[in-house]
Coordinates of all heavy atoms in Angstrom, one line a residue:
K244 N 0.8 -1.2 0.0 CA 0.0 -0.1 0.0 C 0.9 1.2 0.1 O 0.5 2.3 -0.6 CB -1.0 0.0 1.3 CG -2.0 -1.1 1.1 CD -3.1 -0.9 2.3 CE -4.2 -1.9 2.1 NZ -5.3 -1.8 3.2
A245 N 2.0 1.2 0.6 CA 3.0 2.3 0.6 C 3.4 2.7 -0.8 O 3.6 3.8 -1.1 CB 4.2 2.1 1.5
I246 N 3.5 1.6 -1.7 CA 3.9 1.8 -3.1 C 2.7 2.5 -3.9 O 3.0 3.5 -4.5 CB 4.3 0.5 -3.7 CG1 5.5 -0.1 -3.0 CG2 4.5 0.8 -5.2 CD1 5.7 -1.7 -3.3
S247 N 1.6 1.9 -3.7 CA 0.4 2.5 -4.4 C 0.1 3.9 -3.9 O -0.5 4.6 -4.7 CB -0.7 1.5 -4.5 OG -1.2 1.2 -3.0
G248 N 0.4 4.2 -2.7 CA 0.0 5.5 -2.1 C 1.1 6.5 -2.3 O 1.0 7.6 -1.8
S249 N 2.1 6.2 -3.0 CA 3.2 7.2 -3.2 C 2.9 8.2 -4.2 O 3.6 9.3 -4.2 CB 4.5 6.3 -3.7 OG 4.2 5.8 -5.1
G250 N 1.8 8.1 -5.0 CA 1.4 9.2 -5.9 C 2.2 9.1 -7.2 O 2.0 10.0 -8.1
H251 N 3.1 8.1 -7.4 CA 3.9 8.0 -8.7 C 3.5 6.8 -9.5 O 3.1 5.8 -8.9 CB 5.3 8.0 -8.3 CG 5.9 9.3 -8.0 ND1 5.8 9.8 -6.7 CD2 6.6 10.2 -8.7 CE1 6.4 11.0 -6.7 NE2 6.9 11.2 -7.9
T252 N 3.6 6.8 -10.8 CA 3.5 5.6 -11.5 C 4.7 5.5 -12.4 O 5.3 6.4 -12.9 CB 2.3 5.8 -12.4 OG1 1.1 6.0 -11.6 CG2 2.0 4.5 -13.3
A253 N 5.1 4.2 -12.5 CA 6.4 3.9 -13.4 C 5.9 2.9 -14.4 O 5.1 2.0 -14.1 CB 7.6 3.4 -12.6
V254 N 6.5 3.0 -15.7 CA 6.1 2.0 -16.8 C 7.5 1.6 -17.3 O 8.4 2.4 -17.5 CB 5.3 2.6 -17.8 CG1 5.1 1.8 -19.1 CG2 3.9 3.0 -17.2
S255 N 7.5 0.3 -17.7 CA 8.8 -0.3 -18.3 C 8.4 -1.1 -19.5 O 7.4 -1.9 -19.5 CB 9.6 -1.0 -17.4 OG 10.8 -1.5 -18.0
V256 N 9.1 -1.0 -20.6 CA 8.8 -1.8 -21.9 C 10.1 -2.3 -22.4 O 11.2 -1.6 -22.4 CB 8.1 -0.8 -23.0 CG1 7.8 -1.7 -24.1 CG2 6.9 -0.3 -22.4
R257 N 10.1 -3.5 -23.0 CA 11.3 -4.2 -23.4 C 11.0 -4.6 -25.0 O 9.9 -5.0 -25.2 CB 11.6 -5.4 -22.6 CG 12.7 -6.2 -23.2 CD 13.2 -7.2 -22.2 NE 12.1 -8.3 -21.8 CZ 12.3 -9.6 -22.1 NH1 13.3 -10.0 -22.7 NH2 11.3 -10.5 -21.7
G258 N 12.0 -4.3 -25.8 CA 11.9 -4.7 -27.2 C 13.0 -5.4 -27.7 O 13.7 -6.2 -26.9
H259 N 13.3 -5.4 -29.0 CA 14.3 -6.2 -29.6 C 15.7 -5.8 -29.1 O 16.6 -6.7 -28.8 CB 14.2 -6.0 -31.2 CG 15.3 -6.7 -31.9 ND1 15.7 -8.0 -31.8 CD2 16.4 -6.1 -32.6 CE1 16.7 -8.3 -32.6 NE2 17.2 -7.1 -33.0
D260 N 16.0 -4.6 -29.1 CA 17.3 -4.2 -28.7 C 17.4 -3.1 -27.6 O 18.4 -2.4 -27.4 CB 18.1 -3.7 -29.9 CG 17.3 -2.5 -30.8 OD1 16.5 -2.0 -30.2 OD2 17.6 -2.5 -31.9
T261 N 16.1 -2.8 -27.0 CA 16.0 -1.8 -26.1 C 15.2 -2.1 -24.8 O 14.1 -2.7 -25.1 CB 15.4 -0.5 -26.9 OG1 16.3 -0.2 -27.9 CG2 15.3 0.7 -25.9
S262 N 15.6 -1.6 -23.8 CA 14.6 -1.6 -22.6 C 14.5 -0.1 -22.1 O 15.5 0.6 -22.0 CB 15.1 -2.5 -21.4 OG 14.9 -3.9 -21.8
V263 N 13.3 0.3 -21.7 CA 13.2 1.6 -21.3 C 12.3 1.7 -20.0 O 11.4 0.9 -19.9 CB 12.5 2.5 -22.4 CG1 11.1 2.1 -22.6 CG2 12.6 4.0 -22.1
V264 N 12.5 2.7 -19.2 CA 11.7 2.9 -18.0 C 11.2 4.4 -18.0 O 12.0 5.3 -18.4 CB 12.2 2.6 -16.6 CG1 12.4 1.2 -16.4 CG2 13.7 3.3 -16.5
I265 N 10.0 4.7 -17.6 CA 9.5 6.1 -17.5 C 8.7 6.3 -16.3 O 7.9 5.4 -15.8 CB 8.6 6.3 -18.9 CG1 8.2 7.8 -18.8 CG2 7.6 5.3 -19.0 CD1 7.4 8.2 -20.2
T266 N 8.9 7.4 -15.7 CA 8.2 7.8 -14.4 C 7.9 9.3 -14.4 O 8.6 9.9 -15.0 CB 8.9 7.2 -13.3 OG1 8.2 7.3 -12.1 CG2 10.1 8.1 -13.1
Q267 N 6.9 9.6 -13.5 CA 6.6 11.0 -13.3 C 7.7 11.6 -12.5 O 8.4 11.0 -11.6 CB 5.3 11.1 -12.6 CG 4.1 10.5 -13.3 CD 2.9 10.3 -12.4 OE1 2.9 9.3 -11.6 NE2 2.0 11.2 -12.3
K268 N 7.9 12.9 -12.8 CA 8.8 13.7 -11.9 C 8.1 14.8 -11.4 O 7.7 15.9 -12.0 CB 10.0 14.3 -12.8 CG 11.0 15.0 -12.0 CD 12.2 15.4 -12.9 CE 13.3 16.1 -12.0 NZ 14.6 16.3 -12.8
K269 N 7.7 14.7 -10.0 CA 6.9 15.7 -9.2 C 7.8 16.5 -8.4 O 8.7 15.9 -7.6 CB 5.8 15.0 -8.4 CG 4.8 14.3 -9.3 CD 3.7 13.6 -8.5 CE 2.6 13.0 -9.4 NZ 1.6 12.4 -8.6
I270 N 7.8 17.8 -8.5 CA 8.5 18.7 -7.6 C 7.5 19.3 -6.7 O 6.8 20.2 -7.0 CB 9.3 19.8 -8.4 CG1 10.0 19.2 -9.5 CG2 10.1 20.6 -7.5 CD1 11.1 18.2 -9.2
P271 N 7.6 18.8 -5.3 CA 6.5 19.2 -4.4 C 6.7 20.6 -3.8 O 5.7 21.2 -3.3 CB 6.7 18.2 -3.2 CG 8.2 17.7 -3.4 CD 8.5 17.7 -4.9
D272 N 7.8 21.3 -4.1 CA 8.0 22.6 -3.5 C 8.8 23.4 -4.6 O 9.8 22.9 -5.1 CB 8.9 22.5 -2.3 CG 8.9 23.9 -1.4 OD1 9.0 24.8 -2.1 OD2 8.8 23.8 -0.3
K273 N 8.4 24.6 -4.8 CA 9.1 25.4 -5.9 C 10.4 25.8 -5.4 O 11.3 26.3 -6.3 CB 8.2 26.7 -6.1 CG 6.9 26.4 -6.8 CD 6.1 27.7 -7.0 CE 4.8 27.5 -7.8 NZ 4.0 28.6 -8.0
L274 N 10.8 25.7 -4.2 CA 12.2 26.1 -3.7 C 13.2 25.0 -3.9 O 14.4 25.2 -3.7 CB 12.2 26.6 -2.3 CG 11.3 27.9 -2.0 CD1 11.4 28.2 -0.6 CD2 12.0 29.1 -2.9
L275 N 12.6 23.8 -4.2 CA 13.5 22.6 -4.4 C 14.3 22.7 -5.7 O 13.8 23.2 -6.7 CB 12.7 21.3 -4.4 CG 12.2 20.7 -3.1 CD1 11.3 19.5 -3.4 CD2 13.3 20.3 -2.2
D276 N 15.6 22.2 -5.6 CA 16.3 22.1 -6.9 C 15.9 20.8 -7.6 O 16.1 19.7 -7.2 CB 17.8 22.0 -6.4 CG 18.8 21.9 -7.6 OD1 18.2 21.8 -8.8 OD2 20.0 21.8 -7.5
A277 N 15.2 21.1 -8.7 CA 14.6 19.9 -9.5 C 15.6 19.0 -10.0 O 15.3 17.8 -10.1 CB 13.8 20.5 -10.7
S278 N 16.8 19.4 -10.2 CA 17.9 18.4 -10.6 C 18.3 17.4 -9.5 O 18.9 16.4 -9.9 CB 19.1 19.2 -11.1 OG 19.7 19.8 -9.9
T279 N 17.9 17.6 -8.3 CA 18.2 16.7 -7.3 C 17.1 15.6 -7.0 O 17.2 14.8 -6.1 CB 18.5 17.4 -5.9 OG1 17.3 18.0 -5.5 CG2 19.8 18.3 -6.1
V280 N 16.0 15.9 -7.6 CA 14.8 15.0 -7.5 C 14.8 14.0 -8.5 O 14.7 14.3 -9.8 CB 13.5 15.8 -7.5 CG1 12.3 14.9 -7.4 CG2 13.6 16.8 -6.4
T281 N 14.8 12.6 -8.3 CA 14.8 11.6 -9.4 C 14.3 10.3 -8.7 O 14.5 10.1 -7.7 CB 16.2 11.5 -10.0 OG1 16.1 10.5 -11.0 CG2 17.2 10.9 -9.0
H282 N 13.8 9.5 -9.6 CA 13.4 8.1 -9.2 C 14.1 7.1 -10.1 O 13.9 5.9 -10.0 CB 11.9 7.9 -9.4 CG 11.1 8.7 -8.5 ND1 10.8 8.2 -7.1 CD2 10.5 9.9 -8.5 CE1 10.0 9.2 -6.6 NE2 9.8 10.2 -7.4
L283 N 15.1 7.5 -10.8 CA 15.9 6.7 -11.8 C 17.3 6.7 -11.2 O 17.9 7.7 -10.9 CB 16.0 7.3 -13.2 CG 14.6 7.4 -13.9 CD1 14.9 8.0 -15.3 CD2 14.0 6.0 -13.9
Y284 N 17.8 5.5 -11.1 CA 19.2 5.3 -10.5 C 20.0 4.3 -11.3 O 19.5 3.3 -11.9 CB 19.0 4.7 -9.1 CG 18.2 5.6 -8.1 CD1 16.9 5.3 -8.0 CD2 18.9 6.5 -7.4 CE1 16.1 6.2 -7.1 CE2 18.2 7.3 -6.5 CZ 16.8 7.1 -6.3 OH 16.0 7.9 -5.5
S285 N 21.2 4.6 -11.5 CA 22.2 3.7 -12.0 C 22.8 2.8 -11.1 O 23.2 3.1 -10.0 CB 23.3 4.6 -12.7 OG 24.4 3.7 -13.2
I286 N 22.9 1.4 -11.4 CA 23.5 0.5 -10.6 C 24.8 0.0 -11.1 O 25.8 0.0 -10.3 CB 22.6 -0.8 -10.4 CG1 21.2 -0.3 -9.7 CG2 23.1 -1.8 -9.6 CD1 20.2 -1.3 -9.7

């Protein structure tokens, strides 16, 4: 329920030579630095 209540949705699709993920980018406060807000991470 914590996942579904987060207010975000993510989608992923895989093809012949490509995998992609897409998610919303919500900035809750105008004073936030938008470049520091992300849900995508490199492993």
